[in-house]
Amino acid sequence: MSDLHEKTSLPDPAAPWHHQAIAHVLQVFQTDEQQGLEGPEVERRQQFYGPNEIEAGRGRNTWEIFLDQFKNVMLIMLIVVALISGVIDFVELRANALPEGTVPFKDTIAIMAIVVLNGLLGFMQESRAEKALAALKKMSSPQVRVCRGGQFSEVKAAQLVPGDLMFIEAGSQLSADGLVLEAAQLQVRESALTGEANPVTKRICPVGLAADTPLGDRQNMVFSGTEVLQGRGKILVTATGMSTELGKIAQMLQSVKASQTPLQKRMAHLGKILVTGSLILVILVVVFGSLQVGNFSRIKELIEVSLSMAVAVVPEGLPAVITVTLAIGTQRMVKRQALIRKLPAVETLGSVDTICSDKTGTLTQNKMVVQRLETQDQSLRVTGEGYAPIGEFLSQDQNLNPTQHPEVQQLLRACVLCNDAVLKQDDQDWLIIGDPTEGALLSLAGKGDLFAEALQKEWPRLGEFPFSSERKRMSVICAMPNPDQAESTAAYLLCCKGSPELVLERCQTYQTATGIFPLQAEDRAAILQRNNEMAQAGLRVLGFAQRCLTYVPEAQAEVNAEQEMVWLGLVGMMDAPRPEVKEAVAKCRAAGIRPVMITGDHQLTAQAIAQQLGIATPDAKALTGLELSKLSQVDLEAMVETVSIYARVAPEHKLRIVQALQSRGKFVAMTGDGVNDAPALKQADIGIAMGITGTDVSKEASDMVLLDDNFATIVAATEEGRVVYTNIRHFIQYILGSNIGEVITIAAAPLIGLSEVPLIPLQILWMNLVTDGLPALALAIEPAEPDVMQRRPFNPQESIFARGLGAYILRIGLIFSVISIALMAYSYNAHPDNWKTMVFTTLCLSQMGHAIAVRSRTQLTLTSNPLRNPYLIIAVAATTILQLMLIYVEPLRLFFDTQRLSGQQLLICLGVSTLLFVWVELEKLVIQWYWAWKNPPKSR
Ligand code: ATP
């Protein structure tokens, strides 16, 4: 033990705790095995040990991130342009050939400033993206169930301290190292730590293991960063944060990396194409131009043209606008309760055409209230609301006292014993910690005066076969308080609850008030009939059974132990659909998205809920897990597009369903919460985990987390995804059209015999960054068009230039250049002193009209609400004012090499620049006429 730990009397996390006896470790950590640590002690330890966090390993340092920005091919080209331009200025300066009033190296400085600015911007965005992702990661960081001062609660993993009692179950991702105090079939995957892919079984080891036991064999310890695959456990936390085994190797951990979205990758590719294209063009201009001439000034002029073209072709503002759009999309989604974990999801959500959703908690409220209880003697209605254990048992509207009915009493007892939830009162409210299904059973038992605290002490649990979505049931083995007076001479009682069909299969007798009787075939049929009736009414039904045992079965002996049980009865609970889901389902349908329900629940319950929500018609058939497992993948693929309800499925079926849907070309969003849902979540195009009920493992595998577990949130996120994608298309359309126009205009100048370049690099940079950039940013935050959820989803395979976008950009680029070349030719002769400024101004102002018109491909600007996106109006107004300042404010004019335009010249520019706007509006009219012609109104 280190001096510091000795002084504070707090244990050293690094000690070999696996080697110590449990009792000793508890004593050293001063932890009460039942009560846990007291609140003030937790605080003291939090201060001493610090937060339970792993400091990220060393990633790239600030300089490296900054320098990485200059690996971009477009920026490299700009640097080359700046250098060449500098050399030319230098030569001219030496030869005293610089035109009068010209500031030397102006272009070089300006271009280099832009390059550095771009680098800084990229650097800031990258750092911000990393920070944002880390923050998002924190938001979805695991909650841990602990017991402190005898009270169960859920705390953030960061708040754990050595000495805490932590409870783990299938799906938990461990956030601290600890000693196993209780283990029920506890299996953990430790591959993150040891590389061992097979699950490791954990067990209690009262006296400790050998001191030199290697990490992978320490069965009495669990470690941070590993995942619980199965079972349940109670753990004494021994190490947190950097003291954990994971912390020790933290340097090896990769820091959070912002992955590039498909669009960002495509844009990087586009950058390369643009650069190559412009280089070819430059070579052509220089070669053909040089063939015609021999004097230096002409060659210099050609080089200037080339430099301008190279600058013009690079859409300098585009990467920033894309990053901002994705960031804003992520923020909008968080506001609507959808947390994006992987950035590409923002952009691809708009392509979702099938949403496969769990039922419980996503389509329904997951607030269970038991309404029916059926034993072989009694058919009871249960009253009461929420989780409050206040209500009555009514038999044909007569109040019934359950304490006077032993078979009802036994069923209620099983509800409490076979239960891992905690029911507690917080102020006036009754809350549950744990599974709502189990919470509802505790509140049911409370209505019959049976409470967990007393009963679980009286009947201590000695073993269990935990619940899993595959088994669809769970059992516990408890010691009987007074074996002699108990139902038999046996000393132990096994209580089982789960899917009624599966529990009933394992029963041979049934319990009544007067005794136990053999289950005949007709009894079974009657029970299943009652189960179906309840399920048809939309109730979630559980079956209960028990068995007296003379021994505590081994952990692996469930097949033998869960046999020959005595049937106790059925419990039916209502889990009402979420009110907002019906509307969300209708929205999906209008948007060409098919909702599919995939549930572990009974097919009739699933059908009833699906019908209430409009997911399926009353006659729609549900495919059960059993039927599905008999289908070949090919058969499943043949029917997967028509089935909307899958019931009684196991997690592995989910994977098959996603694969079948994908093989039919569907773009699938799939929800999941359990540990075994992870493969399906990874396979889905958008894997969605539940923020509240989801396991850590499912969150880790997902692209998006629903903070409110709500189906309607998926639909909202899809809508946002469509808006993001549409806006991205809008501003790409807007920006690239302008670049093409600029390049052609510049290239045309020497070809039509003009002696100078119309635009200098500085002006082009101004256009690309300011006059294109500001309105593009405004276009990026354009709100949803009213019909965004009335269109079909985007084809995920389509290129960003699909559906006419590429053609539009080329067309607009050509129109743009035709207009400016015409103006250039005219003004070169008519206004020889100011022609360059007139071209520059017209190009900039044309883009203002274009920004306003480009917002919709079909709706005329005059008929759209101008205030829908006030930012666009502000951006256009601000940019126009800035452009005028460049012409009329003396220092700016000198710097940007412009001339003061007369009123008449400015009017000409304004007039000509509206032509682009008029052209785009005319295109819309043509589209409208075309649609009207293709879809004539139906004659009556
Ligand atoms: P969904 O898949 O829509 O979330 P679900 O909650 O019914 O629905 P699972 O959690 O896989 O799906 O449960 C499957 C079945 O197992 C349930 O329908 C129920 O019969 C049974 N079951 C659920 N929870 C428990 C539990 N805590 N103990 C025993 N059996 C349970």
Side-chain angles (χ1 to χ4, degrees), residues 357-364 366 368 418 420 435 437-438 441 467-475 496-502 540-543 597-602 648-651 654 673 677:
S357 172
D358 285 342
K359 171 180 74 69
T360 313
T362 316
L363 297 169
T364 64
N366 212 6
M368 315 269 178
C418 191
D420 290 323
D435 180 0
T437 304
E438 299 196 337
L441 295 175
F467 170 77
S468 74
S469 290
E470 287 87 356
R471 275 172 35 82
K472 296 191 173 51
R473 62 183 185 279
M474 79 175 266
S475 299
C496 175
K497 77 172 192 301
S499 142
E501 314 90 281
L502 293 176
R540 177 176 175 81
V541 193
L542 288 184
M597 178 195 279
I598 305 185
T599 177
D601 214 337
H602 193 280
R648 285 285 186 238
V649 293
K654 281 187 167 182
D673 48 11
D677 288 337

Tab-separated table of all heavy atoms in Angstrom, residues 357-364 366 368 418 420 435 437-438 441 467-475 496-502 540-543 597-602 648-651 654 673 677, ligand 1:
chain	number	residue	atom	x	y	z
A	357	SER	N	-38.922	-1.566	-35.988
A	357	SER	CA	-38.928	-1.063	-34.614
A	357	SER	C	-39.355	-2.142	-33.634
A	357	SER	O	-40.252	-2.935	-33.909
A	357	SER	CB	-39.897	0.121	-34.542
A	357	SER	OG	-40.068	0.513	-33.219
A	358	ASP	N	-38.724	-2.125	-32.452
A	358	ASP	CA	-39.217	-2.939	-31.340
A	358	ASP	C	-40.588	-2.415	-30.966
A	358	ASP	O	-40.913	-1.271	-31.267
A	358	ASP	CB	-38.323	-2.717	-30.107
A	358	ASP	CG	-37.000	-3.429	-30.231
A	358	ASP	OD1	-36.911	-4.336	-31.059
A	358	ASP	OD2	-36.071	-3.052	-29.497
A	359	LYS	N	-41.335	-3.221	-30.261
A	359	LYS	CA	-42.632	-2.740	-29.801
A	359	LYS	C	-42.509	-2.077	-28.431
A	359	LYS	O	-42.808	-0.898	-28.271
A	359	LYS	CB	-43.632	-3.896	-29.734
A	359	LYS	CG	-44.941	-3.526	-29.056
A	359	LYS	CD	-45.889	-4.681	-29.001
A	359	LYS	CE	-45.515	-5.741	-27.988
A	359	LYS	NZ	-45.647	-5.306	-26.593
A	360	THR	N	-42.027	-2.883	-27.462
A	360	THR	CA	-42.106	-2.456	-26.075
A	360	THR	C	-41.205	-1.250	-25.809
A	360	THR	O	-39.998	-1.332	-25.971
A	360	THR	CB	-41.728	-3.623	-25.149
A	360	THR	OG1	-42.439	-4.765	-25.604
A	360	THR	CG2	-42.069	-3.329	-23.713
A	361	GLY	N	-41.825	-0.158	-25.455
A	361	GLY	CA	-41.053	1.027	-25.104
A	361	GLY	C	-40.829	1.982	-26.255
A	361	GLY	O	-40.625	3.164	-26.043
A	362	THR	N	-40.851	1.471	-27.484
A	362	THR	CA	-40.597	2.336	-28.635
A	362	THR	C	-41.927	2.740	-29.263
A	362	THR	O	-42.194	3.918	-29.484
A	362	THR	CB	-39.728	1.599	-29.666
A	362	THR	OG1	-38.685	0.940	-28.985
A	362	THR	CG2	-39.149	2.553	-30.677
A	363	LEU	N	-42.753	1.722	-29.519
A	363	LEU	CA	-44.091	2.011	-30.021
A	363	LEU	C	-45.054	2.183	-28.847
A	363	LEU	O	-46.049	2.884	-28.940
A	363	LEU	CB	-44.565	0.859	-30.915
A	363	LEU	CG	-43.715	0.642	-32.173
A	363	LEU	CD1	-44.073	-0.667	-32.849
A	363	LEU	CD2	-43.887	1.794	-33.151
A	364	THR	N	-44.723	1.536	-27.737
A	364	THR	CA	-45.584	1.658	-26.551
A	364	THR	C	-44.853	2.460	-25.473
A	364	THR	O	-43.687	2.770	-25.610
A	364	THR	CB	-45.922	0.263	-25.991
A	364	THR	OG1	-44.696	-0.329	-25.549
A	364	THR	CG2	-46.569	-0.618	-27.023
A	366	ASN	N	-44.065	1.700	-22.376
A	366	ASN	CA	-43.242	0.961	-21.407
A	366	ASN	C	-43.591	1.368	-19.984
A	366	ASN	O	-42.730	1.407	-19.110
A	366	ASN	CB	-41.753	1.183	-21.671
A	366	ASN	CG	-40.947	-0.054	-21.303
A	366	ASN	OD1	-41.528	-1.086	-20.960
A	366	ASN	ND2	-39.644	0.047	-21.362
A	368	MET	N	-45.974	-0.176	-17.635
A	368	MET	CA	-46.863	-1.329	-17.552
A	368	MET	C	-47.774	-1.231	-16.322
A	368	MET	O	-47.305	-0.863	-15.244
A	368	MET	CB	-46.053	-2.608	-17.427
A	368	MET	CG	-44.896	-2.687	-18.363
A	368	MET	SD	-45.379	-3.477	-19.868
A	368	MET	CE	-43.846	-3.366	-20.764
A	418	CYS	N	-39.446	-13.702	-8.164
A	418	CYS	CA	-38.809	-13.847	-9.480
A	418	CYS	C	-38.729	-12.452	-10.113
A	418	CYS	O	-39.377	-12.155	-11.111
A	418	CYS	CB	-39.672	-14.784	-10.316
A	418	CYS	SG	-38.880	-15.301	-11.818
A	420	ASP	N	-36.173	-8.666	-10.437
A	420	ASP	CA	-34.922	-7.949	-10.143
A	420	ASP	C	-35.131	-6.440	-10.041
A	420	ASP	O	-34.177	-5.680	-9.903
A	420	ASP	CB	-33.878	-8.206	-11.247
A	420	ASP	CG	-33.377	-9.630	-11.195
A	420	ASP	OD1	-33.229	-10.154	-10.075
A	420	ASP	OD2	-33.157	-10.225	-12.265
A	435	ASP	N	-36.490	-3.238	-14.981
A	435	ASP	CA	-37.397	-3.547	-16.076
A	435	ASP	C	-38.850	-3.188	-15.709
A	435	ASP	O	-39.367	-3.649	-14.688
A	435	ASP	CB	-37.254	-5.063	-16.330
A	435	ASP	CG	-38.135	-5.547	-17.451
A	435	ASP	OD1	-38.848	-4.716	-18.034
A	435	ASP	OD2	-38.096	-6.760	-17.735
A	437	THR	N	-41.590	-4.223	-16.867
A	437	THR	CA	-42.454	-5.401	-16.749
A	437	THR	C	-42.390	-5.925	-15.313
A	437	THR	O	-43.417	-6.258	-14.703
A	437	THR	CB	-41.953	-6.518	-17.706
A	437	THR	OG1	-41.910	-5.978	-19.010
A	437	THR	CG2	-42.820	-7.741	-17.660
A	438	GLU	N	-41.194	-5.965	-14.765
A	438	GLU	CA	-41.024	-6.483	-13.410
A	438	GLU	C	-41.525	-5.476	-12.382
A	438	GLU	O	-42.080	-5.852	-11.357
A	438	GLU	CB	-39.552	-6.828	-13.178
A	438	GLU	CG	-39.090	-7.904	-14.140
A	438	GLU	CD	-37.781	-8.565	-13.746
A	438	GLU	OE1	-37.012	-7.958	-13.003
A	438	GLU	OE2	-37.571	-9.708	-14.204
A	441	LEU	N	-45.084	-5.909	-11.823
A	441	LEU	CA	-45.403	-7.085	-11.000
A	441	LEU	C	-45.218	-6.760	-9.519
A	441	LEU	O	-45.988	-7.227	-8.677
A	441	LEU	CB	-44.494	-8.259	-11.394
A	441	LEU	CG	-44.697	-8.771	-12.819
A	441	LEU	CD1	-43.678	-9.836	-13.150
A	441	LEU	CD2	-46.108	-9.315	-12.997
A	467	PHE	N	-33.171	-14.011	-17.186
A	467	PHE	CA	-33.974	-13.773	-18.393
A	467	PHE	C	-33.057	-13.452	-19.565
A	467	PHE	O	-32.032	-12.797	-19.410
A	467	PHE	CB	-34.909	-12.584	-18.151
A	467	PHE	CG	-35.588	-12.117	-19.408
A	467	PHE	CD1	-36.656	-12.824	-19.930
A	467	PHE	CD2	-35.129	-11.000	-20.097
A	467	PHE	CE1	-37.266	-12.422	-21.102
A	467	PHE	CE2	-35.729	-10.594	-21.271
A	467	PHE	CZ	-36.804	-11.309	-21.769
A	468	SER	N	-33.426	-13.937	-20.725
A	468	SER	CA	-32.787	-13.446	-21.942
A	468	SER	C	-33.853	-13.462	-23.025
A	468	SER	O	-34.841	-14.197	-22.919
A	468	SER	CB	-31.604	-14.322	-22.351
A	468	SER	OG	-32.083	-15.525	-22.891
A	469	SER	N	-33.634	-12.657	-24.056
A	469	SER	CA	-34.647	-12.583	-25.118
A	469	SER	C	-34.755	-13.916	-25.846
A	469	SER	O	-35.778	-14.193	-26.466
A	469	SER	CB	-34.282	-11.478	-26.103
A	469	SER	OG	-34.447	-10.247	-25.482
A	470	GLU	N	-33.699	-14.732	-25.793
A	470	GLU	CA	-33.783	-16.052	-26.423
A	470	GLU	C	-34.637	-16.988	-25.567
A	470	GLU	O	-35.492	-17.685	-26.069
A	470	GLU	CB	-32.392	-16.682	-26.592
A	470	GLU	CG	-31.549	-16.073	-27.676
A	470	GLU	CD	-30.761	-14.873	-27.175
A	470	GLU	OE1	-30.949	-14.489	-25.993
A	470	GLU	OE2	-29.980	-14.305	-27.960
A	471	ARG	N	-34.393	-16.981	-24.233
A	471	ARG	CA	-35.104	-17.914	-23.352
A	471	ARG	C	-36.542	-17.466	-23.099
A	471	ARG	O	-37.435	-18.250	-22.888
A	471	ARG	CB	-34.375	-18.006	-22.009
A	471	ARG	CG	-33.241	-18.995	-22.004
A	471	ARG	CD	-32.401	-18.937	-20.742
A	471	ARG	NE	-33.083	-18.639	-19.482
A	471	ARG	CZ	-33.747	-19.527	-18.737
A	471	ARG	NH1	-33.824	-20.777	-19.117
A	471	ARG	NH2	-34.326	-19.155	-17.614
A	472	LYS	N	-36.748	-16.178	-23.113
A	472	LYS	CA	-38.059	-15.572	-22.873
A	472	LYS	C	-38.678	-15.991	-21.537
A	472	LYS	O	-39.888	-16.066	-21.375
A	472	LYS	CB	-39.032	-15.896	-24.015
A	472	LYS	CG	-38.584	-15.307	-25.344
A	472	LYS	CD	-39.658	-15.394	-26.393
A	472	LYS	CE	-39.302	-14.663	-27.667
A	472	LYS	NZ	-38.037	-14.963	-28.254
A	473	ARG	N	-37.868	-16.281	-20.570
A	473	ARG	CA	-38.357	-16.608	-19.231
A	473	ARG	C	-37.198	-16.457	-18.249
A	473	ARG	O	-36.038	-16.367	-18.671
A	473	ARG	CB	-38.909	-18.030	-19.176
A	473	ARG	CG	-37.884	-19.091	-19.480
A	473	ARG	CD	-38.492	-20.480	-19.495
A	473	ARG	NE	-37.457	-21.474	-19.662
A	473	ARG	CZ	-36.910	-21.813	-20.818
A	473	ARG	NH1	-37.322	-21.233	-21.926
A	473	ARG	NH2	-35.967	-22.727	-20.888
A	474	MET	N	-37.542	-16.427	-16.974
A	474	MET	CA	-36.482	-16.463	-15.963
A	474	MET	C	-36.961	-17.241	-14.755
A	474	MET	O	-38.168	-17.367	-14.533
A	474	MET	CB	-36.060	-15.049	-15.554
A	474	MET	CG	-36.972	-14.368	-14.574
A	474	MET	SD	-36.329	-12.763	-14.044
A	474	MET	CE	-35.447	-13.184	-12.557
A	475	SER	N	-36.037	-17.787	-14.002
A	475	SER	CA	-36.391	-18.530	-12.790
A	475	SER	C	-35.434	-18.153	-11.672
A	475	SER	O	-34.282	-17.817	-11.930
A	475	SER	CB	-36.259	-20.038	-13.016
A	475	SER	OG	-37.117	-20.439	-14.038
A	496	CYS	N	-40.803	-19.456	-11.575
A	496	CYS	CA	-40.492	-19.177	-12.978
A	496	CYS	C	-41.553	-18.264	-13.574
A	496	CYS	O	-42.742	-18.416	-13.288
A	496	CYS	CB	-40.449	-20.513	-13.733
A	496	CYS	SG	-40.226	-20.328	-15.500
A	497	LYS	N	-41.115	-17.297	-14.370
A	497	LYS	CA	-42.076	-16.477	-15.109
A	497	LYS	C	-41.546	-16.245	-16.521
A	497	LYS	O	-40.320	-16.296	-16.749
A	497	LYS	CB	-42.304	-15.141	-14.405
A	497	LYS	CG	-41.206	-14.115	-14.579
A	497	LYS	CD	-41.661	-12.800	-13.992
A	497	LYS	CE	-40.774	-11.632	-14.347
A	497	LYS	NZ	-39.380	-11.729	-13.937
A	498	GLY	N	-42.469	-16.038	-17.461
A	498	GLY	CA	-42.018	-15.791	-18.827
A	498	GLY	C	-43.148	-15.936	-19.817
A	498	GLY	O	-44.333	-15.881	-19.440
A	499	SER	N	-42.760	-16.122	-21.055
A	499	SER	CA	-43.756	-16.282	-22.116
A	499	SER	C	-44.674	-17.454	-21.758
A	499	SER	O	-44.188	-18.564	-21.501
A	499	SER	CB	-42.999	-16.536	-23.418
A	499	SER	OG	-43.689	-17.476	-24.186
A	500	PRO	N	-46.012	-17.247	-21.691
A	500	PRO	CA	-46.903	-18.292	-21.174
A	500	PRO	C	-46.746	-19.638	-21.891
A	500	PRO	O	-46.727	-20.676	-21.242
A	500	PRO	CB	-48.293	-17.708	-21.408
A	500	PRO	CG	-48.086	-16.244	-21.404
A	500	PRO	CD	-46.734	-16.002	-21.971
A	501	GLU	N	-46.605	-19.614	-23.215
A	501	GLU	CA	-46.505	-20.890	-23.934
A	501	GLU	C	-45.306	-21.678	-23.436
A	501	GLU	O	-45.391	-22.894	-23.219
A	501	GLU	CB	-46.315	-20.679	-25.441
A	501	GLU	CG	-47.211	-19.674	-26.130
A	501	GLU	CD	-46.615	-18.271	-26.126
A	501	GLU	OE1	-46.738	-17.641	-25.067
A	501	GLU	OE2	-46.046	-17.805	-27.131
A	502	LEU	N	-44.190	-20.965	-23.265
A	502	LEU	CA	-42.955	-21.663	-22.893
A	502	LEU	C	-42.991	-22.153	-21.445
A	502	LEU	O	-42.475	-23.220	-21.122
A	502	LEU	CB	-41.750	-20.732	-23.093
A	502	LEU	CG	-41.470	-20.386	-24.556
A	502	LEU	CD1	-40.333	-19.391	-24.664
A	502	LEU	CD2	-41.107	-21.659	-25.311
A	540	ARG	N	-49.928	-7.491	-22.535
A	540	ARG	CA	-48.666	-8.239	-22.516
A	540	ARG	C	-48.839	-9.280	-21.417
A	540	ARG	O	-49.066	-8.933	-20.257
A	540	ARG	CB	-47.561	-7.251	-22.182
A	540	ARG	CG	-46.181	-7.792	-22.027
A	540	ARG	CD	-45.285	-6.575	-21.809
A	540	ARG	NE	-43.918	-6.890	-21.513
A	540	ARG	CZ	-43.020	-7.202	-22.446
A	540	ARG	NH1	-43.369	-7.273	-23.706
A	540	ARG	NH2	-41.774	-7.441	-22.115
A	541	VAL	N	-48.733	-10.566	-21.786
A	541	VAL	CA	-49.103	-11.613	-20.826
A	541	VAL	C	-47.876	-12.414	-20.398
A	541	VAL	O	-47.046	-12.800	-21.225
A	541	VAL	CB	-50.148	-12.576	-21.450
A	541	VAL	CG1	-50.768	-13.451	-20.364
A	541	VAL	CG2	-51.217	-11.806	-22.184
A	542	LEU	N	-47.786	-12.653	-19.115
A	542	LEU	CA	-46.722	-13.512	-18.585
A	542	LEU	C	-47.350	-14.707	-17.889
A	542	LEU	O	-48.412	-14.592	-17.265
A	542	LEU	CB	-45.875	-12.757	-17.562
A	542	LEU	CG	-44.930	-11.674	-18.063
A	542	LEU	CD1	-44.128	-11.116	-16.902
A	542	LEU	CD2	-43.993	-12.213	-19.133
A	543	GLY	N	-46.694	-15.862	-18.017
A	543	GLY	CA	-47.153	-17.055	-17.314
A	543	GLY	C	-46.254	-17.298	-16.100
A	543	GLY	O	-45.069	-16.960	-16.117
A	597	MET	N	-42.926	-3.874	-37.326
A	597	MET	CA	-42.790	-4.144	-35.893
A	597	MET	C	-42.068	-5.480	-35.685
A	597	MET	O	-42.456	-6.487	-36.272
A	597	MET	CB	-44.172	-4.198	-35.249
A	597	MET	CG	-44.136	-4.529	-33.772
A	597	MET	SD	-45.755	-5.013	-33.156
A	597	MET	CE	-46.515	-3.449	-32.902
A	598	ILE	N	-41.016	-5.455	-34.893
A	598	ILE	CA	-40.317	-6.702	-34.582
A	598	ILE	C	-40.290	-6.837	-33.070
A	598	ILE	O	-39.675	-6.020	-32.390
A	598	ILE	CB	-38.869	-6.699	-35.117
A	598	ILE	CG1	-38.874	-6.414	-36.613
A	598	ILE	CG2	-38.186	-8.015	-34.824
A	598	ILE	CD1	-37.511	-6.504	-37.265
A	599	THR	N	-40.989	-7.819	-32.538
A	599	THR	CA	-41.121	-7.877	-31.083
A	599	THR	C	-40.916	-9.286	-30.551
A	599	THR	O	-41.137	-10.271	-31.258
A	599	THR	CB	-42.509	-7.353	-30.652
A	599	THR	OG1	-42.635	-7.493	-29.259
A	599	THR	CG2	-43.635	-8.093	-31.346
A	600	GLY	N	-40.502	-9.336	-29.300
A	600	GLY	CA	-40.382	-10.626	-28.631
A	600	GLY	C	-41.726	-11.056	-28.059
A	600	GLY	O	-41.877	-12.172	-27.573
A	601	ASP	N	-42.711	-10.170	-28.122
A	601	ASP	CA	-43.999	-10.444	-27.494
A	601	ASP	C	-44.863	-11.381	-28.351
A	601	ASP	O	-44.536	-11.704	-29.487
A	601	ASP	CB	-44.719	-9.106	-27.251
A	601	ASP	CG	-45.543	-9.142	-25.983
A	601	ASP	OD1	-45.906	-10.256	-25.562
A	601	ASP	OD2	-45.829	-8.070	-25.423
A	602	HIS	N	-46.008	-11.763	-27.778
A	602	HIS	CA	-46.958	-12.677	-28.427
A	602	HIS	C	-47.516	-12.064	-29.709
A	602	HIS	O	-47.741	-10.854	-29.762
A	602	HIS	CB	-48.087	-12.940	-27.430
A	602	HIS	CG	-48.964	-14.071	-27.817
A	602	HIS	ND1	-49.958	-13.958	-28.744
A	602	HIS	CD2	-48.990	-15.358	-27.397
A	602	HIS	CE1	-50.580	-15.120	-28.877
A	602	HIS	NE2	-49.993	-15.996	-28.066
A	648	ARG	N	-42.623	-12.825	-31.289
A	648	ARG	CA	-41.872	-13.891	-30.608
A	648	ARG	C	-40.536	-14.173	-31.296
A	648	ARG	O	-40.152	-15.322	-31.480
A	648	ARG	CB	-42.704	-15.177	-30.564
A	648	ARG	CG	-43.822	-15.151	-29.554
A	648	ARG	CD	-43.311	-15.317	-28.137
A	648	ARG	NE	-44.401	-15.432	-27.168
A	648	ARG	CZ	-44.568	-14.612	-26.139
A	648	ARG	NH1	-43.733	-13.597	-25.944
A	648	ARG	NH2	-45.534	-14.783	-25.279
A	649	VAL	N	-39.872	-13.103	-31.702
A	649	VAL	CA	-38.594	-13.304	-32.380
A	649	VAL	C	-37.452	-13.251	-31.366
A	649	VAL	O	-37.587	-12.689	-30.289
A	649	VAL	CB	-38.317	-12.233	-33.460
A	649	VAL	CG1	-39.260	-12.342	-34.609
A	649	VAL	CG2	-38.339	-10.856	-32.850
A	650	ALA	N	-36.359	-13.844	-31.737
A	650	ALA	CA	-35.137	-13.762	-30.940
A	650	ALA	C	-34.193	-12.815	-31.681
A	650	ALA	O	-34.374	-12.583	-32.884
A	650	ALA	CB	-34.526	-15.142	-30.815
A	651	PRO	N	-33.189	-12.268	-30.994
A	651	PRO	CA	-32.308	-11.281	-31.627
A	651	PRO	C	-31.681	-11.759	-32.938
A	651	PRO	O	-31.508	-10.971	-33.866
A	651	PRO	CB	-31.250	-11.025	-30.569
A	651	PRO	CG	-31.929	-11.294	-29.284
A	651	PRO	CD	-32.889	-12.405	-29.553
A	654	LYS	N	-33.573	-10.937	-35.976
A	654	LYS	CA	-33.518	-9.537	-36.423
A	654	LYS	C	-32.454	-9.378	-37.493
A	654	LYS	O	-32.656	-8.680	-38.485
A	654	LYS	CB	-33.156	-8.628	-35.242
A	654	LYS	CG	-34.289	-8.326	-34.322
A	654	LYS	CD	-33.812	-7.286	-33.320
A	654	LYS	CE	-34.969	-6.683	-32.562
A	654	LYS	NZ	-34.520	-5.657	-31.630
A	673	ASP	N	-32.164	-2.980	-28.282
A	673	ASP	CA	-31.744	-2.561	-26.951
A	673	ASP	C	-30.871	-3.587	-26.247
A	673	ASP	O	-30.057	-3.250	-25.413
A	673	ASP	CB	-32.964	-2.205	-26.075
A	673	ASP	CG	-34.040	-3.275	-26.134
A	673	ASP	OD1	-33.764	-4.371	-26.664
A	673	ASP	OD2	-35.166	-3.028	-25.653
A	677	ASP	N	-28.669	-7.715	-29.724
A	677	ASP	CA	-29.147	-6.950	-30.882
A	677	ASP	C	-27.989	-6.305	-31.636
A	677	ASP	O	-28.168	-5.804	-32.740
A	677	ASP	CB	-30.114	-5.832	-30.435
A	677	ASP	CG	-31.452	-6.390	-29.994
A	677	ASP	OD1	-31.776	-7.513	-30.426
A	677	ASP	OD2	-32.147	-5.728	-29.216
B	1	ATP	P1	-39.817	-5.941	-27.808
B	1	ATP	O1	-38.978	-6.927	-28.526
B	1	ATP	O2	-40.806	-5.277	-28.650
B	1	ATP	O3	-39.063	-5.012	-26.936
B	1	ATP	P2	-40.492	-7.659	-25.621
B	1	ATP	O4	-40.091	-6.837	-24.453
B	1	ATP	O5	-41.733	-8.473	-25.451
B	1	ATP	O6	-40.760	-6.808	-26.883
B	1	ATP	P3	-38.300	-9.336	-25.071
B	1	ATP	O7	-37.761	-8.417	-24.046
B	1	ATP	O8	-37.407	-10.078	-25.963
B	1	ATP	O9	-39.286	-8.598	-26.013
B	1	ATP	O10	-39.215	-10.369	-24.285
B	1	ATP	C1	-39.744	-11.500	-24.927
B	1	ATP	C2	-40.781	-12.144	-24.038
B	1	ATP	O11	-40.162	-12.611	-22.836
B	1	ATP	C3	-41.871	-11.212	-23.562
B	1	ATP	O12	-42.910	-11.104	-24.490
B	1	ATP	C4	-42.326	-11.865	-22.273
B	1	ATP	O13	-43.220	-12.923	-22.547
B	1	ATP	C5	-41.040	-12.443	-21.738
B	1	ATP	N1	-40.431	-11.519	-20.793
B	1	ATP	C6	-40.142	-10.223	-20.950
B	1	ATP	N2	-39.559	-9.706	-19.880
B	1	ATP	C7	-39.443	-10.694	-18.998
B	1	ATP	C8	-38.918	-10.831	-17.675
B	1	ATP	N3	-38.365	-9.806	-17.052
B	1	ATP	N4	-38.997	-12.020	-17.075
B	1	ATP	C9	-39.533	-13.073	-17.686
B	1	ATP	N5	-40.047	-13.035	-18.903
B	1	ATP	C10	-40.023	-11.875	-19.567
